[in-house]
Amino acid sequence: MIRTPQMLQKQEWLAFLFHRHNAHLASFHTFSNYPRIWIISIIILAVTSLSPLVMATFINNRLIHKSVDSELVLQTDRVTSNAKRSVRFFLEERLNALRFVVNELPYYSLIDNEHLTKILINLKLGFGGFTDLSIIDSDGSQVAYAGPFNLEGKNYKTQSWFKQSMEKDNFISEVFTGYRDVPHIIIAVRSQNAYGRYYLLRATLDTQRLMDTVLSYKSNFHTDIFLINHTGILQTPSTNYGKIFTPTQIDIPAFSDTTQVITPENNKDKSYVVGYSYIATEAVTTPFILMVHKKKSEVMGTWLNLGKTFNWIIGFCCLVMMVIITLVSTYMVNQLFLADQSKAETMLKMEQSQQLACIGQLSAGIAHEINNPLALINETTGYLKDLYHYKDTPRDDKEIIELLNDILEAVSRCGTITSQLLGFVRQFDVQISSVNVEQLITGILSFHKKETEYKGIHVTTAIAPDVPDIKTDRGKLQQILLNLINNAFQAIEVNGCLDITVSHLPPNTISIEIKDTGCGISEENLQRIHEPFFSTKKERKGTGLGLSITYGLVKKLQGSIRVESSEGVGTIFTVTLPVKLQKEDEA
C-alpha cells in the first residue's frame, strides 16, 4: 500500500531522521541526505534572520560606549579644572595676604609677638585656614611667633624648606610634619628689614581646610580626587591609595600648563580615566599635582544597566527565534521528506506495474511466436497423417524426413521462446550477476522480429570487441533497454532505421547508444520526458511512466542517461553504466 504524506506524518514527526533505509526506494528519492538539508536550512535561516539583529546590537553598544567615553572625559576634565582653580585660589589668596602684610607693615612691628598675634587673628577672620605666623631671620632663627605651638627660639637653618624660601620671594611647601609632628603646609614671603637683611614671614596653613577643599569635588564613590607631590607621595588622603604620605607608585604624568585627561597604559580594560593638573599660583609654583581618577561605572552605570537589560532581551529574542527556526525547518524538511517518500513509493509501484506490463507484452509476443510454429506443426502433422491414410505406398522417405525436420525446427523454436520467457521472469530478482550486453540486446530485438519485418525497419547493432561482460542487475538493465527499444520502434515509421552501438569507455564504464530515425522530440518536451506521467503519445498509447522509470533504473544501476533529439530527424538515447555495479552498502 502506498502511504500518503498524511499517513506518514501521523506515524513519525521526525521521519527524515529516523526512517529506515530502503535500497529499493533510494534511487527514486529527489534528495538523499535530509539531515544535512535540515542543518543547512537551520543555519541559513538563522544567519539570515539573526545577523541584522546582532549587527544592530553590536553597533548600538559601540555607540553607547563611545558616547559614554566622551562624556566621561568631559566630566573628568571639568572636575579636575574646577578643583584646580579652588586649590590654587586657596593657596594664592593666603600667599597674597602675607605679601600684603610684609609690604604694609615695618619689620619692627612684625617682630612684636603681640602685634603678630593680632595680625594672625585678623588673617583667620578674613581668610581662614591659618594656624600660626612667625618671623624668621636670615640665620634661620625664629624671632617672633604667634600660634598654638611652643616654637619660640627654634632655628630652621638646616631645614630644606628654609633654604628654598631664602632663595626666592615667595614659597609654598609640600605637606610635612616638622617640629609640630602634624601634617601642615608652609607658605613664606621673603622681605628685607631696614638694615637690608632678609627675613621670612612664614605662615602655617590648616591642612584639613585644604583637604576639605579638594574632597568637595568628590561627587561619588567612583571618583577619587587627591593631591600628590612630584615624587608621587600623597599630600591628601586617597580612596584608592590610602592615607597621607603614602607612596602611590603612580607614574608621574608629563608636565602641562593646562588640565589633561588620559587613559593610563596599565589600564588595559579602560575601566577608568585620569585627569591631572599641576598647581601653580601667579607668584610661585607649588609642589602639588591634582589627580582625579574617575571610573566608567560612574557615568555608564545607567547605560550599562540599560545595555545589559537590552542584551538580555536580544539574547532571549534570539533564543526564541532559534527555537522557531528549528521547528519551522524541521516541519518543512519533514514535509519535504514525506512528499518525496510518497513519490518514491509511487514510482516503485509504477516500476512494478511497468514490469507486469512488460510481462503482458512479452506474453502476447510469445503467444504469437508460438502459435505460428504450432500451426505449422499442426498442418504438417495432418499432412503426414493424410499421406499415411490415403496413399497405398509410402511417400519418398526424403519428403517425410523434410517434414519431420520442419516439425522439429518448429518445436525447437517454441523451446527457445519458452526459454527466453523463463529467463525474463527470473530477471525480476534483484541481484548482481555477469551480463553479456550483446546477448541481452539480441534477445530483446528478437521480440520485435515480426514488427521489424512488417515495418521494414533496418536494425543494426555495433558491439565494440573490447566491451566486457558487466557486473550489474540483469533484470533492471533488460527493462531499461526494452523500454528504450520499444519507444524507438513506436517512433519509427515504415522503412526507418534503428542503430544500437555499445562502446567501452576505459577503464570502468560502457556506453549503450540507441539511435532511431523516428519523429523526434521537441525541445520543449525534451526537458520533461523524465517527469512521471508526461507523455507525447496520443490516444492514450502511453502512460508517461516509461522514461521516468527508466531514468530511475539507470540511477539505481549507478549510471547516467542522456538524450539528444530533433523533430523529424530522430532521437539518440545514450546510457552510461559502470562495468561493475557497487552494492548499496559499498557505494
Side-chain angles (χ1 to χ4, degrees):
M1 180 183 68
I2 298 175
R3 295 176 295 175
T4 63
Q6 291 75 16
M7 296 171 63
L8 289 171
Q9 187 176 15
K10 291 180 180 178
Q11 292 178 358
E12 295 180 4
W13 159 237
L14 298 175
F16 68 98
L17 286 178
F18 302 109
H19 76 284
R20 293 183 178 178
H21 178 72
N22 188 327
H24 297 286
L25 295 176
S27 61
F28 295 109
H29 277 294
T30 304
F31 304 105
S32 59
N33 195 339
Y34 279 91
R36 184 168 179 268
I37 295 174
W38 178 54
I39 293 174
I40 292 175
S41 171
I42 291 175
I43 293 175
I44 292 176
L45 288 176
V47 171
T48 304
S49 57
L50 297 183
S51 294
L53 189 61
V54 173
M55 287 296 296
T57 304
F58 176 77
I59 293 173
N60 179 65
N61 287 335
R62 291 293 302 169
L63 290 176
I64 289 177
H65 279 269
K66 190 174 182 180
S67 300
V68 170
D69 287 345
S70 177
E71 179 64 21
L72 181 63
V73 170
L74 291 176
Q75 284 191 12
T76 304
D77 182 83
R78 186 162 53 246
V79 170
T80 306
S81 297
N82 292 338
K84 171 190 175 182
R85 283 192 288 270
S86 295
V87 172
R88 184 177 64 183
F89 178 78
F90 176 84
L91 298 172
E92 196 169 55
E93 185 181 43
R94 283 145 188 83
L95 181 62
N96 290 335
L98 291 186
R99 294 170 66 185
F100 175 80
V101 171
V102 167
N103 292 330
E104 292 299 324
L105 298 177
Y107 177 73
Y108 64 85
S109 64
L110 293 177
I111 60 176
D112 184 354
N113 285 338
E114 183 177 353
H115 192 202
L116 191 63
T117 301
K118 291 180 181 178
I119 295 173
L120 175 62
I121 293 172
N122 291 332
L123 289 176
K124 286 183 177 181
L125 292 175
F127 303 98
F130 284 94
T131 301
D132 58 22
L133 283 177
S134 61
I135 299 297
I136 301 173
D137 62 17
S138 59
D139 295 328
S141 298
Q142 186 168 257
V143 295
Y145 175 79
F149 297 97
N150 184 19
L151 299 176
E152 294 182 1
K154 293 290 183 181
N155 189 286
Y156 302 98
K157 187 175 182 179
T158 60
Q159 296 195 7
S160 62
W161 68 265
F162 174 76
K163 296 177 181 177
Q164 296 177 48
S165 300
M166 292 302 291
E167 293 174 356
K168 57 185 75 174
D169 294 335
N170 303 286
F171 174 76
I172 298 177
S173 74
E174 62 184 39
V175 179
F176 68 104
T177 54
Y179 289 125
R180 298 170 178 78
D181 201 24
V182 293
H184 62 279
I185 300 173
I186 288 176
I187 59 175
V189 177
R190 187 182 65 175
S191 185
Q192 288 180 308
N193 57 22
Y195 303 101
R197 300 191 63 183
Y198 286 113
Y199 68 93
L200 296 177
L201 174 59
R202 186 195 70 171
T204 303
L205 301 183
D206 184 2
T207 308
Q208 186 61 44
R209 185 73 173 269
L210 178 62
M211 294 178 186
D212 294 341
T213 301
V214 173
L215 293 178
S216 64
Y217 290 90
K218 182 177 180 180
S219 58
N220 51 55
F221 180 76
H222 300 288
T223 302
D224 190 12
I225 181 168
F226 52 93
L227 293 173
I228 62 173
N229 62 14
H230 290 183
T231 59
I233 296 176
L234 283 175
Q235 302 296 290
T236 60
S238 165
T239 304
N240 297 328
Y241 299 100
K243 298 180 180 179
I244 190 171
F245 298 138
T246 301
T248 60
Q249 306 300 326
I250 294 176
D251 293 334
I252 304 302
F255 175 77
S256 176
D257 291 331
T258 59
T259 299
Q260 299 292 323
V261 178
I262 61 174
T263 300
E265 294 182 357
N266 58 358
N267 180 26
K268 295 181 178 179
D269 57 354
K270 299 181 179 179
S271 60
Y272 66 94
V273 296
V274 174
Y276 73 91
S277 182
Y278 281 78
I279 306 297
T281 65
E282 292 182 356
V284 66
T285 60
T286 76
F288 300 120
I289 304 174
L290 176 67
M291 304 294 295
V292 177
H293 285 203
K294 209 170 185 65
K295 294 183 178 179
K296 280 187 178 181
S297 54
E298 175 191 1
V299 179
M300 294 183 64
T302 303
W303 287 103
L304 289 176
N305 291 334
L306 181 61
K308 288 180 180 178
T309 304
F310 182 74
N311 290 337
W312 274 108
I313 293 174
I314 294 297
F316 179 74
C317 291
C318 290
L319 181 62
V320 172
M321 291 177 68
M322 280 302 299
V323 172
I324 294 175
I325 288 171
T326 303
L327 291 177
V328 171
S329 296
T330 304
Y331 176 78
M332 296 300 294
V333 173
N334 201 57
Q335 290 298 309
L336 179 63
F337 169 77
L338 294 175
D340 200 15
Q341 182 79 353
S342 178
K343 186 206 73 175
E345 290 180 351
T346 303
M347 294 296 294
L348 180 61
K349 188 73 175 180
M350 291 300 102
E351 179 186 343
Q352 293 171 351
S353 299
Q354 181 78 356
Q355 290 174 340
L356 294 176
C358 290
I359 292 175
Q361 184 178 2
L362 288 172
S363 299
I366 291 169
H368 177 75
E369 294 293 330
I370 291 178
N371 281 339
N372 289 335
L374 287 178
L376 180 60
I377 294 171
N378 183 53
E379 293 296 330
T380 305
T381 305
Y383 181 60
L384 282 175
K385 186 178 180 181
D386 291 341
L387 289 177
Y388 280 103
H389 280 284
Y390 298 108
K391 298 292 184 180
D392 295 335
T393 59
R395 298 292 301 270
D396 186 82
D397 291 340
K398 291 183 178 178
E399 184 179 5
I400 293 174
I401 291 174
E402 184 178 351
L403 293 173
L404 290 174
N405 287 336
D406 291 341
I407 294 172
L408 292 174
E409 184 180 353
V411 171
S412 177
R413 173 64 177 161
C414 291
T416 301
I417 294 170
T418 305
S419 178
Q420 290 177 345
L421 176 60
L422 292 175
F424 184 81
V425 172
R426 292 193 189 96
Q427 291 156 12
F428 286 111
D429 298 335
V430 180
Q431 56 183 357
I432 299 175
S433 61
S434 179
V435 178
N436 186 295
V437 179
E438 182 177 6
Q439 293 178 359
L440 194 65
I441 293 174
T442 302
I444 294 172
L445 290 176
S446 68
F447 299 143
H448 297 277
K449 184 177 180 181
K450 288 295 181 182
E451 188 175 0
T452 302
E453 296 173 355
Y454 176 74
K455 288 186 174 181
I457 298 175
H458 179 67
V459 179
T460 62
T461 57
I463 313 297
D466 61 338
V467 173
D469 290 350
I470 64 174
K471 300 288 187 181
T472 189
D473 188 310
R474 180 184 183 85
K476 304 298 181 189
L477 178 56
Q478 187 171 34
Q479 188 173 352
I480 291 169
L481 298 177
L482 185 61
N483 286 343
L484 296 177
I485 293 174
N486 279 345
N487 286 344
F489 271 98
Q490 292 173 4
I492 297 173
E493 300 295 339
V494 178
N495 297 326
C497 295
L498 172 63
D499 300 321
I500 301 175
T501 305
V502 182
S503 306
H504 182 208
L505 306 178
N508 301 318
T509 309
I510 66 166
S511 170
I512 304 173
E513 181 183 278
I514 300 173
K515 177 179 179 182
D516 66 61
T517 57
C519 57
I521 306 171
S522 67
E523 186 175 352
E524 179 183 0
N525 293 333
L526 199 60
Q527 300 176 357
R528 303 182 57 193
I529 58 173
H530 295 306
E531 296 180 7
F533 306 109
F534 176 77
S535 175
T536 59
K537 299 173 183 176
K538 299 179 181 179
E539 299 177 357
R540 297 185 179 180
K541 290 184 177 180
T543 61
L545 293 172
L547 289 179
S548 178
I549 291 175
T550 300
Y551 177 81
L553 292 174
V554 171
K555 290 297 182 183
K556 184 175 291 184
L557 297 185
Q558 300 167 9
S560 62
I561 184 170
R562 185 177 74 252
V563 58
E564 303 170 41
S565 184
S566 298
E567 282 189 289
V569 177
T571 303
I572 303 174
F573 279 94
T574 305
V575 177
T576 304
L577 296 171
V579 172
K580 184 177 181 181
L581 176 65
Q582 300 291 327
K583 294 182 179 179
E584 292 291 338
D585 53 351
E586 296 177 350

